[in-house]
Amino acid sequence: SSIELERISSQKHPNEVLALVKIKDYSIPSDAGITLVLDGINDPGNMGTIIRTCDWFGVNSIVCSTNTVDIYNPKVVQAAMGSVFRVPFVSTNLIDYFKDIKSPIYGAFMEGENVRNVKVPESVHLIMGNEANGISEEIDNLITDKVAIKNIGDSAESLNVAVATSILLHEFCN
């Protein structure tokens, strides 16, 4: 009933649907296609939007740092609109993960090369950093190529991480 949904939901206005699912245990993905790496993403809304965007663009998988918001956070699941069940992901120590990676590692930076001028290989890792602090220094040291979204205007300081991820994935998938 609606009263029961309100009692068990953390949302002010719970959805009319409740699902009980078994959490799938994904293995660490292969070094093929586009793999999105998230370094310290905190906002559940951003995370859900990023997952949904990955689903849209057919991203191979998402690799999250251990300090990234839980992918099964109720707000993440709600923002992902079902995509959380279609995009493979793992949470892991990124330093350990990158030890076995052979493909180029791209990172999103304000001072990187304009992504429109970059020829992106078929197998690639794209790292997106924390909303306030960007990519952590220890992960920055592993990046082979820094990319940026050209700022056409002159007053905005930066883009939201979910918006930036969407733009970069659009360019990477073309």
Side-chain angles (χ1 to χ4, degrees):
S1 72
S2 61
I3 293 171
E4 292 169 319
L5 281 172
E6 285 180 27
R7 262 196 8 232
I8 62 173
S9 177
S10 61
Q11 306 294 315
K12 284 184 179 180
H13 303 287
N15 201 320
E16 297 174 355
V17 177
L18 177 68
L20 180 62
V21 297
K22 182 178 180 192
I23 295 176
K24 192 168 184 179
D25 188 20
Y26 294 105
S27 61
I28 293 193
S30 66
D31 198 9
I34 297 174
T35 300
L36 183 67
V37 179
L38 303 175
D39 182 18
I41 303 302
N42 291 322
D43 183 87
N46 283 339
M47 183 66 167
T49 301
I50 290 168
I51 295 166
R52 196 169 168 188
T53 301
C54 286
D55 193 14
W56 180 265
F57 286 112
V59 169
N60 183 45
S61 56
I62 301 173
V63 176
C64 301
S65 65
T66 55
N67 64 334
T68 291
V69 65
D70 180 16
I71 205 158
Y72 291 113
N73 173 304
K75 291 181 180 178
V76 172
V77 172
Q78 185 176 24
M81 300 293 293
S83 293
V84 71
F85 303 112
R86 291 187 292 272
V87 180
F89 72 92
V90 293
S91 289
T92 190
N93 177 295
L94 294 183
I95 299 295
D96 291 341
Y97 171 77
F98 280 117
K99 286 179 182 174
D100 297 326
I101 296 304
K102 307 272 187 282
S103 66
I105 302 168
Y106 285 68
F109 288 88
M110 297 293 290
E111 70 280 356
E113 182 177 352
N114 184 343
V115 68
R116 291 207 160 175
N117 300 331
V118 174
K119 181 164 175 28
V120 179
E122 283 187 30
S123 293
V124 65
H125 283 72
L126 172 61
I127 303 175
M128 301 301 294
N130 174 273
E131 293 90 345
N133 304 311
I135 296 171
S136 62
E137 191 174 321
E138 63 184 356
I139 301 304
D140 181 353
N141 295 327
L142 303 173
I143 292 171
T144 59
D145 299 273
K146 294 182 178 185
V147 293
I149 300 164
K150 182 181 175 193
N151 181 348
I152 296 170
D154 59 0
S155 56
E157 180 184 306
S158 64
L159 290 172
N160 168 288
V161 67
V163 171
T165 302
S166 298
I167 293 168
L168 289 173
L169 287 178
H170 179 266
E171 293 297 324
F172 271 47
C173 291
N174 279 334

